Amino acid sequence: MKVLIIGFGNMGKTYANSFISSRFIKPEDIYVMVRSEITMATESIIPKANFSHTATERIADFDIVILAVKPQDFEALAQSVKPYLKDSQIIFSVMAGITLSKLESRLSCSKIVRSMPNIPTQIGMGMTVFTASANVDRKELFIIQNLINTTGKSVYVENEKLIDAATAISGSGPAYVFYFMKSMIKAAVDLGFNESEAELLVNQTFMGSVAIQNSYSLSNEEWITKVASKGGTTERALQVFEKGHLEKTIIEAVKAANDRALELGS
């Protein structure tokens, strides 16, 4: 299997490194196309000869073409690669907001996979939601899911609208977590801990909480009850959350992110 990655930013490099480290694809079978000459090729175990900055008929040689460019660069990219694409190729997009129908019409291809990964894919702990056009068969979907899973975990959805919802949940989600962590670190410093102590307290609390939650089949509500004893310190903190309608605020924030994802795709 030969793969062309168009764009070698964070996601392009993440996929290349994950495919290679998992031994799913050999370095010599991964090709990279970027807008201009780069020196990054010297930092990669992908052969230098596999890097290109122009669209040529060679594009037709690849089984899978991964579009890892910014959405605003898609129109120009489509014009340059469209003449060389074949309908038998699988086009795998990680561009936010670019719909299946738009990809099909601009590229004149019928085998399209659209995905929404998140930033932890860079360390193999990512969450990716993906969907596909009708002409992608089960065997091809299986191959794509195996490729995605080299970067973490994945969920296939038939309803494309859920890609925008995934953007608001798992795509933007790490920023929500970092925001909450930042606030807790600030509170810890205000209570007397130094910055490094505060970061350790909060980071380990988050890591341990996720780990124990994954280790037992208890709901989040049950875990909250276990930690928050009646009349205790945790209960007092939760009462402040409830008074400030924190749960409602979080839900509204996620819905706002979903609305923005829909706007970007229109």
Side-chain angles (χ1 to χ4, degrees):
M1 187 192 308
K2 289 189 176 183
V3 173
L4 172 64
I5 300 174
I6 302 180
F8 209 54
N10 287 333
M11 282 311 305
K13 283 187 278 188
T14 292
Y15 279 118
N17 293 336
S18 297
F19 297 164
I20 293 166
S21 62
S22 65
R23 299 186 180 181
F24 202 87
I25 301 176
K26 296 176 183 177
E28 57 267 29
D29 290 330
I30 297 175
Y31 293 73
V32 178
M33 192 180 101
V34 289
R35 275 191 298 193
S36 57
E37 293 282 7
I38 57 170
T39 57
M40 280 187 241
T42 60
E43 303 168 10
S44 174
I45 60 172
I46 299 171
K48 212 170 183 178
N50 288 13
F51 283 76
S52 170
H53 65 282
T54 54
T56 67
E57 63 276 358
R58 195 178 184 185
I59 290 174
D61 298 336
F62 301 101
D63 303 294
I64 299 171
V65 177
I66 299 176
L67 305 182
V69 300
K70 294 177 181 177
Q72 57 265 36
D73 296 330
F74 173 63
E75 292 294 342
L77 172 67
Q79 291 180 21
S80 66
V81 300
K82 181 179 176 180
Y84 309 110
L85 292 171
K86 296 188 301 184
D87 199 47
S88 59
Q89 293 174 297
I90 299 173
I91 308 300
F92 176 44
S93 168
V94 296
M95 298 179 294
I98 309 296
T99 63
L100 289 176
S101 60
K102 190 171 185 178
L103 287 161
E104 287 185 41
S105 64
R106 297 292 192 277
L107 299 173
S108 293
C109 290
S110 62
K111 293 187 177 185
I112 311 284
V113 175
R114 182 186 170 198
S115 71
M116 174 43 61
N118 66 5
I119 200 166
T121 55
Q122 295 180 20
I123 57 165
M125 292 288 289
M127 183 67 238
T128 299
V129 178
F130 71 105
T131 191
S133 59
N135 283 0
V136 179
D137 62 36
R138 285 191 175 186
K139 181 183 176 182
E140 291 164 335
L141 270 180
F142 180 73
I143 291 169
I144 291 295
Q145 187 153 32
N146 281 339
L147 284 173
I148 293 171
N149 286 350
T150 64
T151 67
K153 294 186 177 182
S154 63
V155 171
Y156 169 75
V157 294
E158 291 189 4
N159 184 353
E160 187 181 0
K161 289 182 179 178
L162 290 177
I163 297 293
D164 293 313
T167 304
I169 300 289
S170 55
S172 300
Y176 313 153
V177 174
F178 302 145
Y179 186 93
F180 203 91
M181 291 176 74
K182 182 190 76 168
S183 301
M184 284 184 66
I185 289 169
K186 186 178 185 305
V189 170
D190 289 346
L191 290 171
F193 290 100
N194 64 40
E195 193 76 28
S196 61
E197 290 169 339
E199 287 185 5
L200 177 60
L201 278 168
V202 173
N203 290 356
Q204 188 62 23
T205 297
F206 269 76
M207 285 176 22
S209 300
V210 171
I212 197 169
Q213 198 263 2
N214 286 334
S215 298
Y216 299 91
S217 57
L218 295 177
S219 68
N220 287 320
E221 197 62 46
E222 288 172 319
W223 278 117
I224 291 170
T225 302
K226 274 184 172 292
V227 179
S229 56
K230 194 72 175 173
T233 58
T234 309
E235 186 183 64
R236 182 69 64 85
L238 295 174
Q239 286 171 352
V240 174
F241 289 164
E242 289 170 7
K243 187 177 179 180
H245 306 291
L246 181 59
E247 182 180 278
K248 181 183 177 184
T249 299
I250 291 170
I251 293 170
E252 287 176 352
V254 172
K255 287 180 177 178
N258 182 66
D259 291 343
R260 181 57 180 157
L262 294 170
E263 288 171 11
L264 291 172
S266 61

